[in-house]
Amino acid sequence: MHTERVNIMSKHYEVPSTFAKKAYINEALYQKWYQQSIDEPETFWGERAKEFISWHTPFEAVKSGSFEKADMRWFIGGKLNASFNCLDRHLKDNGKKVAIIWEGDDPNETRKITYKELHELVSRFANGLKNYGIQKGDRVCIYLPMIPEVAIAMLACARIGAIHSVVFGGFSSDSLKTRILDSDCKMVITADEGIRAGKKIALKENTDAALKGCPNVKKVIVVKRTGNPIHWEKNRDIWYHEVIEGGDPQCEPEMIDSDDPLFILYTSGSTGRPKGVLHTTGGYLVYVAMTHKYIFDYHEEDIYWCTADVGWITGHSYIIYGPLANAATTVMFEGVPHYPSFSRYWEIVDKHKVNIFYTAPTAIRALRREGDLFVSKTSRKSLKLLGTVGEPINPEVWEWYYQVVGEGRCPIVDTWWQTETGGILISPLPGATALKPGSATLPFFGIEPEIVDETGKPIKTNTSGKLVIKKPWPGFMKTIYGDHQRFIDTYFKEVKGVYLTGDGAHRDEEGDYWISGRNDDVIKVSGHRLGTEEIESSLLEHPAVSEAAVVAIPHEIKGEAIYAYVSTKAEIEPSENLKQELKRQVRNSIGPIATPEEIQWTEALPKTRSGKIMRRLLRKVARNEIEDLGDVSTLSNPFVIEELIRERKKNQDIP
Ligand code: 7RM
């Protein structure tokens, strides 16, 4: 392990001289700005805030509060509007510029929307929302596929000061329901159906099912995507196109406080139900605009494409708010990388002359497996820069992305960040940072990472520990919606005075960061963030289940997969049928992304004397690392170990 690490570390790629010359930030400037951002954060961020964002009322102070008190605020006294910043202010110079290039699931479907057109659609829709009673501060749930209307809906909410809560279209009706209820949404914006790889997704049907338990949702706005027949509630449902037709094209943006909420986005944690991460307006917008410009070295004429779904933070920050705040042309793709063929991404790159391409390791791994021909038969000459996000990218996959996709011409930015952080915190800057395959390299301006041990003390170079961030930055979340105590308990309790990321990492002798992934009970399946406890709760809802524990196992394509241990109730006979039923149960109650890869029956779960499930042991067994099970002396039922190992052998088709 150690020698391997040294080998990987010695491998790096210098910044190409062409890039170093034309990029915004070279190495010397990075050093200079980074130092200033740490020494004088108020000056640094104050200047950036004025440079990147138009303020209706200037802010009086740059920041207040601290991690100790979990009460950070940015650009205090400033008033602004996110939709104004993403649209209105661009009209004069960029009205005719394309804001969104939409590429349908079907390669023959494309739409281009200019800034002027987007501004009008958003204004009309915003007026429509007002007509249906939505006001500043109201929560609006958006459950849409990857179509331009998702951007229109988000920006229309922002325009009137309503708080959007986008729910990923792959989540089930139950997941949708709990999210609607948690933030008490008044309205849902959805579509009749979504389409991915030619298959339909019943979004309206899921919404109807969810709303059976949500009495406060009075209106549902429905985008007609496929036109297939759907159930219709006469007094509740409204067609999107009718709202647009009926909406006045003039809508004054509501100027709100910098610290007022922009959106809520649910994300999974170690324990309990998903948390409603609340992001505010000023700090978030400054941070996503600035990181978008410098990390992707975005220039005015660039065509920029991030393949994420808007249902996740990457879509919020780097499909919608960051690019649009910078008046960029942002590509939005409805489909999947393998449809109609494994060349689809690269065909889209060629079709729209994409310059900056940002995707997830899971997609890169899946495409790499299919061989180079799907890539090499396309041109990709337009590409200048590649990005990756969502999970660690292993060096072999990085190399393939770099050599085969980018033909050795394009720097790769391996961007580490989280829903909570709002924007990218650790990443190379393409004109400034030497690249190391597998390392997210260096912190962005204003970011002070540290690696600490169990007791919160900083630890040595090349030793793994917990990744924390020492000082606040403008993009950081404000709170967990409706549960500020949970915000404090989750992020600021274990190590005092810093933000606890939940990730493990080490720093090498050159100061570069290597992030190994979560060190809590969060799983990243194909880059989708899931909590083990939600999956366990879902399994426990089945009448045959008495106990369940879920752990992550490594997976070649998905990065991690879900391995579930289940004990059935005394009178229930475990069977293959029941396994399928349990998988279906999780699929229906959370969504297809949460389906366990494998279920293993067990008489009992290994528990410590205080009654805690020994997950470490379950993880080892699931991963077939049975030679060294570690310290099991605290187990109250050590006899289960043998059974766990025996049953594990029956699942040998799982690597
Ligand atoms: C943007 C996003 C956050 C978790 C985070 C990490 C993992 C994300 C990288 C990464 C290694 C990366 N938000 N993660 N990016 N790990 N290298 N470049 O993914 O809230 O959904 O997930 O994702 O574990 O804590 S998220």
Side-chain angles (χ1 to χ4, degrees):
M1 188 66 206
H2 221 86
T3 49
E4 196 180 294
R5 190 175 280 176
V6 169
N7 281 337
I8 293 164
M9 251 177 36
S10 61
K11 171 126 204 186
H12 67 268
Y13 294 92
E14 293 301 334
V15 176
S17 60
T18 47
F19 228 92
K21 262 183 245 146
K22 66 161 219 3
Y24 292 112
I25 315 269
N26 61 24
E27 197 189 340
L29 194 58
Y30 169 71
Q31 299 293 353
K32 188 175 146 211
W33 281 20
Y34 184 73
Q35 207 50 51
Q36 197 214 355
S37 72
I38 302 303
D39 296 343
E40 306 159 57
E42 311 227 345
T43 314
F44 182 83
W45 288 116
E47 282 170 10
R48 298 291 95 70
K50 287 179 209 154
E51 182 186 331
F52 279 90
I53 292 306
S54 303
W55 298 85
H56 181 259
T57 310
F59 46 90
E60 287 147 19
V62 170
K63 67 184 178 80
S64 71
S66 65
F67 282 154
E68 280 81 8
K69 298 216 174 97
D71 62 348
M72 297 73 64
R73 292 173 65 198
W74 287 87
F75 312 120
I76 297 135
K79 280 185 183 285
L80 78 164
N81 179 280
S83 137
F84 178 89
N85 272 282
C86 290
L87 301 168
D88 306 50
R89 65 171 177 154
H90 304 325
L91 294 183
K92 193 169 144 280
D93 295 335
N94 286 308
K96 293 201 180 103
K97 183 173 177 178
V98 174
I100 298 176
I101 298 177
W102 177 74
E103 171 77 13
D105 183 58
D106 174 342
N108 299 314
E109 269 193 282
T110 305
R111 239 176 109 183
K112 290 186 180 172
I113 303 175
T114 64
Y115 272 95
K116 184 165 177 294
E117 289 163 345
L118 188 59
H119 175 261
E120 183 180 330
L121 288 165
V122 168
S123 300
R124 283 176 179 272
F125 195 59
N127 279 323
L129 293 178
K130 284 203 266 190
N131 291 342
Y132 289 105
I134 301 300
Q135 295 173 349
K136 183 183 172 201
D138 286 345
R139 275 80 55 214
V140 173
C141 176
I142 299 176
Y143 184 60
L144 281 171
M146 287 289 285
I147 53 178
E149 288 73 13
V150 75
I152 295 166
M154 289 163 78
L155 292 167
C157 288
R159 197 164 186 86
I160 62 172
I163 306 166
H164 59 70
S165 166
V166 180
V167 176
F168 173 55
F171 277 127
S172 69
S173 59
D174 271 357
S175 296
L176 177 62
K177 181 176 84 186
T178 50
R179 284 161 175 76
I180 291 171
L181 290 174
D182 184 81
S183 46
D184 194 20
C185 294
K186 267 194 168 173
M187 178 189 265
V188 180
I189 302 166
T190 188
D192 48 3
E193 292 177 311
I195 316 174
R196 272 162 65 89
K199 288 202 225 34
K200 311 283 187 295
I201 300 144
L203 295 174
K204 177 60 162 62
E205 194 182 309
N206 286 350
T207 305
D208 289 334
L211 292 187
K212 291 212 169 81
C214 306
N216 293 345
V217 174
K218 302 290 186 228
K219 292 289 166 205
V220 177
I221 298 182
V222 187
V223 179
K224 194 179 267 189
R225 173 67 190 103
T226 64
N228 286 328
I230 46 171
H231 168 78
W232 200 256
E233 291 280 319
K234 235 177 66 208
N235 297 318
R236 188 195 68 187
D237 301 346
I238 314 147
W239 283 112
Y240 166 86
H241 54 265
E242 289 173 7
V243 178
I244 289 284
E245 282 154 24
D248 192 319
Q250 300 296 327
C251 177
E252 266 311 299
E254 174 97 24
M255 295 301 164
I256 63 173
D257 283 345
S258 173
D259 198 41
D260 279 339
L262 178 59
F263 65 83
I264 297 165
L265 183 60
Y266 285 87
T267 196
S268 298
S270 278
T271 55
R273 287 198 175 288
K275 307 180 275 265
V277 169
L278 184 99
H279 279 286
T280 56
T281 307
Y284 173 79
L285 220 52
V286 169
Y287 196 75
V288 296
M290 183 178 174
T291 46
H292 174 258
K293 177 170 171 175
Y294 292 134
I295 291 169
F296 300 105
D297 198 51
Y298 164 75
H299 285 73
E300 224 180 349
E301 65 285 0
D302 287 338
I303 305 290
Y304 165 88
W305 179 21
C306 165
T307 70
D309 192 286
V310 188
W312 309 106
I313 191 69
T314 307
H316 282 60
S317 302
Y318 298 111
I319 296 177
I320 310 290
Y321 287 112
L324 296 182
N326 290 334
T329 298
T330 181
V331 177
M332 181 185 271
F333 176 42
E334 186 183 35
V336 297
H338 59 262
Y339 178 85
S341 85
F342 287 98
S343 291
R344 186 69 192 278
Y345 272 180
W346 324 123
E347 283 163 5
I348 296 174
V349 165
D350 288 349
K351 178 171 169 186
H352 300 298
K353 304 279 179 290
V354 171
N355 307 112
I356 302 168
F357 176 76
Y358 188 29
T359 196
T362 186
I364 306 168
R365 287 191 297 262
L367 296 175
R368 176 175 175 259
R369 184 176 59 177
E370 302 305 320
D372 297 1
L373 199 62
F374 286 106
V375 187
S376 60
K377 69 188 222 197
T378 63
S379 159
R380 286 158 290 108
K381 281 288 171 286
S382 57
L383 287 176
K384 294 194 300 193
L385 183 109
L386 302 170
T388 151
V389 60
E391 30 166 346
I393 178 164
N394 56 3
E396 300 75 43
V397 175
W398 192 104
E399 287 286 348
W400 184 82
Y401 195 28
Y402 188 75
Q403 304 294 0
V404 179
V405 175
E407 298 176 338
R409 287 181 279 119
C410 309
I412 296 178
V413 290
D414 176 352
T415 64
W416 176 84
W417 60 296
Q418 308 174 301
T419 307
E420 293 88 338
T421 69
I424 298 163
L425 298 197
I426 303 180
S427 169
L429 293 180
T433 318
L435 305 172
K436 290 181 186 171
S439 167
T441 72
L442 298 171
F444 191 70
F445 304 118
I447 306 302
E448 277 185 272
E450 186 61 271
I451 317 261
V452 301
D453 65 12
E454 296 300 319
T455 66
K457 281 206 205 58
I459 56 174
K460 288 203 310 270
T461 295
N462 278 328
T463 317
S464 298
K466 298 177 180 200
L467 178 65
V468 301
I469 313 290
K470 293 202 288 192
K471 295 280 163 49
W473 65 96
F476 188 55
M477 67 188 288
K478 177 175 170 157
T479 188
I480 291 174
Y481 186 82
D483 199 348
H484 194 66
Q485 191 56 45
R486 190 170 176 204
F487 176 58
I488 297 169
D489 293 347
T490 310
Y491 306 113
F492 305 107
K493 209 168 176 178
E494 200 181 310
V495 189
K496 294 276 182 291
V498 301
Y499 164 63
L500 183 73
T501 67
D503 277 318
H506 76 270
R507 188 173 46 214
D508 67 24
E509 43 278 277
E510 288 164 307
D512 286 307
Y513 287 84
W514 299 75
I515 289 123
S516 53
R518 304 292 306 196
N519 50 22
D520 55 11
D521 292 315
V522 170
I523 306 186
K524 277 287 193 117
V525 182
S526 302
H528 302 312
R529 180 166 158 178
L530 295 161
T532 51
E533 202 182 294
E534 330 161 40
I535 304 164
E536 289 161 7
S537 304
S538 163
L539 288 166
L540 284 167
E541 276 165 31
H542 193 282
V545 175
S546 87
E547 281 198 296
V550 162
V551 297
I553 51 169
H555 187 281
E556 220 189 303
I557 303 299
K558 298 177 185 175
E560 290 185 324
I562 296 161
Y563 195 96
Y565 295 89
V566 172
S567 341
T568 53
K569 289 188 182 150
E571 70 280 12
I572 307 279
E573 194 54 44
S575 67
E576 192 48 42
N577 261 345
L578 185 54
K579 274 192 187 176
Q580 294 314 322
E581 215 176 287
L582 291 179
K583 287 188 183 180
R584 243 186 342 264
Q585 155 83 23
V586 177
R587 197 170 237 284
N588 292 340
S589 86
I590 302 178
I593 53 173
T595 314
E597 195 73 18
E598 187 53 62
I599 293 174
Q600 173 172 333
W601 303 119
T602 180
E603 280 291 323
L605 293 172
K607 288 197 184 145
T608 63
R609 272 174 231 115
S610 57
K612 272 188 76 172
I613 296 171
M614 197 183 268
R615 285 174 187 282
R616 180 172 50 81
L617 176 63
L618 291 176
R619 224 170 270 139
K620 290 242 176 194
V621 173
R623 291 171 189 202
N624 251 332
E625 296 165 358
I626 50 177
E627 287 74 32
D628 174 23
L629 291 175
D631 181 11
V632 291
S633 63
T634 55
L635 273 185
S636 66
N637 51 354
F639 53 87
V640 300
I641 298 177
E642 209 173 298
E643 191 219 343
L644 284 171
I645 293 172
R646 197 175 58 238
E647 284 294 318
R648 176 64 182 82
K649 295 215 168 97
K650 294 189 188 158
N651 289 333
Q652 275 318 352
D653 48 321
I654 302 296

Coordinates of all heavy atoms in Angstrom, one line a residue, residues 267 312-314 388-393 414-420 440 501-503 515-518 524 527 529, ligand 1:
T267 N -30.2 15.9 1.4 CA -29.1 15.0 1.2 C -29.0 14.0 2.4 O -29.4 14.3 3.5 CB -27.8 15.8 1.1 OG1 -26.7 15.0 0.5 CG2 -27.3 16.4 2.4
W312 N -29.3 17.0 -8.0 CA -28.2 17.0 -7.0 C -27.6 18.3 -7.0 O -27.8 19.2 -7.9 CB -27.2 15.9 -7.4 CG -27.8 14.6 -7.7 CD1 -28.0 14.0 -8.9 CD2 -28.4 13.7 -6.7 NE1 -28.7 12.8 -8.8 CE2 -28.9 12.6 -7.5 CE3 -28.5 13.7 -5.3 CZ2 -29.5 11.5 -6.8 CZ3 -29.1 12.6 -4.7 CH2 -29.6 11.5 -5.4
I313 N -26.7 18.6 -6.0 CA -26.1 19.9 -5.8 C -25.2 20.2 -7.0 O -25.2 21.4 -7.4 CB -25.2 19.9 -4.5 CG1 -24.8 21.4 -4.2 CG2 -24.0 19.0 -4.6 CD1 -25.9 22.3 -3.8
T314 N -24.6 19.3 -7.7 CA -23.8 19.6 -8.8 C -24.6 20.3 -9.9 O -24.1 21.2 -10.6 CB -23.1 18.3 -9.4 OG1 -22.4 17.7 -8.3 CG2 -22.0 18.7 -10.4
T388 N -14.1 16.2 -13.1 CA -14.8 15.0 -12.5 C -15.2 15.4 -11.0 O -14.6 16.2 -10.4 CB -13.9 13.8 -12.5 OG1 -14.2 12.9 -11.3 CG2 -12.4 14.1 -12.4
V389 N -16.3 14.7 -10.6 CA -16.8 15.0 -9.3 C -17.7 13.9 -8.8 O -18.3 13.2 -9.6 CB -17.7 16.3 -9.3 CG1 -18.9 16.1 -10.3 CG2 -18.3 16.6 -7.9
G390 N -17.8 13.7 -7.5 CA -18.8 12.8 -6.9 C -18.2 11.7 -6.0 O -18.8 11.2 -5.1
E391 N -17.0 11.3 -6.4 CA -16.3 10.2 -5.6 C -14.9 10.2 -6.1 O -14.5 10.9 -7.0 CB -17.0 8.8 -5.9 CG -17.5 8.8 -7.3 CD -17.9 7.4 -7.8 OE1 -17.5 6.4 -7.2 OE2 -18.5 7.4 -8.8
P392 N -14.1 9.5 -5.3 CA -12.7 9.4 -5.7 C -12.6 8.8 -7.1 O -13.3 7.9 -7.4 CB -12.0 8.5 -4.7 CG -13.0 8.5 -3.5 CD -14.3 8.7 -4.1
I393 N -11.6 9.3 -7.9 CA -11.4 8.7 -9.2 C -10.1 8.0 -9.1 O -9.1 8.5 -8.7 CB -11.4 9.7 -10.3 CG1 -11.1 9.1 -11.7 CG2 -10.5 10.9 -10.1 CD1 -11.5 10.0 -12.9
D414 N -10.2 17.5 -10.8 CA -10.8 16.6 -9.9 C -11.3 17.4 -8.8 O -10.6 17.8 -7.9 CB -9.8 15.5 -9.5 CG -10.4 14.6 -8.4 OD1 -11.5 14.7 -8.0 OD2 -9.6 13.6 -8.1
T415 N -12.6 17.7 -8.8 CA -13.2 18.7 -7.9 C -13.9 18.0 -6.7 O -14.8 17.2 -6.8 CB -14.3 19.5 -8.6 OG1 -15.4 18.7 -9.0 CG2 -13.7 20.2 -9.9
W416 N -13.4 18.3 -5.5 CA -14.0 17.7 -4.3 C -14.9 18.7 -3.6 O -14.4 19.9 -3.4 CB -12.9 17.3 -3.3 CG -13.5 16.8 -2.0 CD1 -14.0 15.6 -1.8 CD2 -13.8 17.6 -0.9 NE1 -14.6 15.5 -0.5 CE2 -14.5 16.8 0.1 CE3 -13.6 18.9 -0.5 CZ2 -15.0 17.2 1.3 CZ3 -14.0 19.4 0.7 CH2 -14.7 18.5 1.6
W417 N -16.1 18.3 -3.3 CA -17.0 19.2 -2.6 C -18.2 18.4 -2.2 O -18.3 17.2 -2.4 CB -17.4 20.5 -3.4 CG -18.0 20.2 -4.7 CD1 -17.5 19.6 -5.8 CD2 -19.3 20.7 -5.1 NE1 -18.4 19.7 -6.9 CE2 -19.5 20.3 -6.5 CE3 -20.4 21.3 -4.5 CZ2 -20.7 20.5 -7.2 CZ3 -21.5 21.6 -5.2 CH2 -21.7 21.2 -6.5
Q418 N -19.2 19.1 -1.6 CA -20.4 18.4 -1.0 C -21.6 19.3 -1.2 O -21.5 20.5 -1.3 CB -20.2 18.1 0.5 CG -18.9 17.4 0.8 CD -18.7 17.3 2.3 OE1 -18.6 18.4 3.0 NE2 -18.5 16.1 2.8
T419 N -22.8 18.7 -1.0 CA -24.0 19.4 -1.0 C -23.9 20.6 0.0 O -24.3 21.7 -0.2 CB -25.2 18.5 -0.5 OG1 -25.2 17.4 -1.4 CG2 -26.5 19.2 -0.7
E420 N -23.4 20.3 1.2 CA -23.2 21.3 2.2 C -22.3 22.4 1.9 O -22.6 23.6 2.3 CB -22.6 20.6 3.5 CG -23.5 19.5 4.2 CD -23.3 18.1 3.6 OE1 -22.9 18.0 2.4 OE2 -23.7 17.2 4.3
A440 N -7.3 15.4 -5.6 CA -8.0 16.6 -5.9 C -7.1 17.8 -5.7 O -7.6 19.0 -5.9 CB -9.3 16.7 -5.0
T501 N -16.3 17.3 7.6 CA -16.8 17.0 6.3 C -17.4 15.6 6.2 O -18.2 15.3 5.3 CB -15.7 17.1 5.2 OG1 -14.8 16.0 5.4 CG2 -15.0 18.4 5.2
G502 N -16.9 14.7 7.1 CA -17.4 13.3 7.0 C -16.5 12.4 6.0 O -16.7 11.2 5.9
D503 N -15.5 13.1 5.4 CA -14.6 12.4 4.5 C -13.3 12.1 5.1 O -12.8 12.8 6.0 CB -14.3 13.2 3.2 CG -15.5 13.0 2.2 OD1 -15.9 11.9 2.0 OD2 -15.9 14.1 1.6
I515 N -8.4 12.4 -1.3 CA -9.7 12.1 -0.5 C -10.1 10.7 -0.8 O -10.2 10.3 -2.0 CB -10.8 13.1 -0.9 CG1 -10.4 14.5 -0.3 CG2 -12.1 12.7 -0.3 CD1 -10.3 15.6 -1.3
S516 N -10.3 9.9 0.3 CA -10.5 8.5 0.1 C -12.0 8.2 0.1 O -12.4 7.1 -0.2 CB -9.8 7.7 1.2 OG -10.2 8.3 2.5
G517 N -12.8 9.1 0.5 CA -14.3 8.9 0.5 C -14.8 9.0 1.9 O -14.1 9.5 2.8
R518 N -16.0 8.6 2.1 CA -16.7 8.9 3.4 C -16.1 8.0 4.5 O -15.7 6.9 4.3 CB -18.2 8.5 3.3 CG -18.9 9.3 2.2 CD -19.1 10.7 2.5 NE -19.6 11.1 3.8 CZ -20.1 12.3 4.0 NH1 -20.1 13.3 3.1 NH2 -20.6 12.5 5.2
K524 N -21.8 6.2 -1.5 CA -21.9 6.8 -2.8 C -22.1 5.7 -3.9 O -21.2 5.1 -4.3 CB -20.7 7.7 -3.1 CG -20.7 9.1 -2.5 CD -21.7 9.9 -3.2 CE -21.7 11.4 -3.0 NZ -21.4 12.2 -4.1
G527 N -22.1 7.7 -7.6 CA -22.1 9.1 -7.3 C -23.3 9.6 -6.5 O -23.4 10.8 -6.1
R529 N -25.7 10.0 -3.4 CA -25.4 9.9 -2.0 C -26.6 9.3 -1.2 O -27.7 9.8 -1.3 CB -25.1 11.3 -1.5 CG -24.8 11.5 0.0 CD -24.2 12.8 0.3 NE -24.4 13.2 1.6 CZ -23.9 14.3 2.2 NH1 -23.3 15.2 1.4 NH2 -24.1 14.6 3.4
Ligands
7RM1 C1 -20.6 17.2 -5.2 C2 -21.2 16.0 -4.5 C3 -20.4 14.5 -1.3 C4 -19.4 13.4 -1.1 C5 -18.2 13.9 -0.4 C6 -17.2 12.8 -0.9 C7 -17.6 12.5 -2.3 C8 -17.4 14.3 -4.1 C9 -15.3 14.0 -4.7 C10 -15.6 13.1 -3.7 C11 -13.5 12.2 -3.8 C12 -14.0 14.0 -5.3 N1 -21.9 16.3 -3.4 N2 -16.9 13.3 -3.3 N3 -16.4 14.8 -4.9 N4 -14.7 12.2 -3.2 N5 -13.1 13.1 -4.8 N6 -13.6 14.8 -6.3 O1 -20.9 14.9 -4.8 O2 -23.2 15.8 -1.3 O3 -23.6 14.4 -3.2 O4 -21.6 14.1 -2.0 O5 -19.0 12.9 -2.4 O6 -17.3 11.6 -0.2 O7 -18.3 13.9 1.0 S1 -22.7 15.1 -2.4

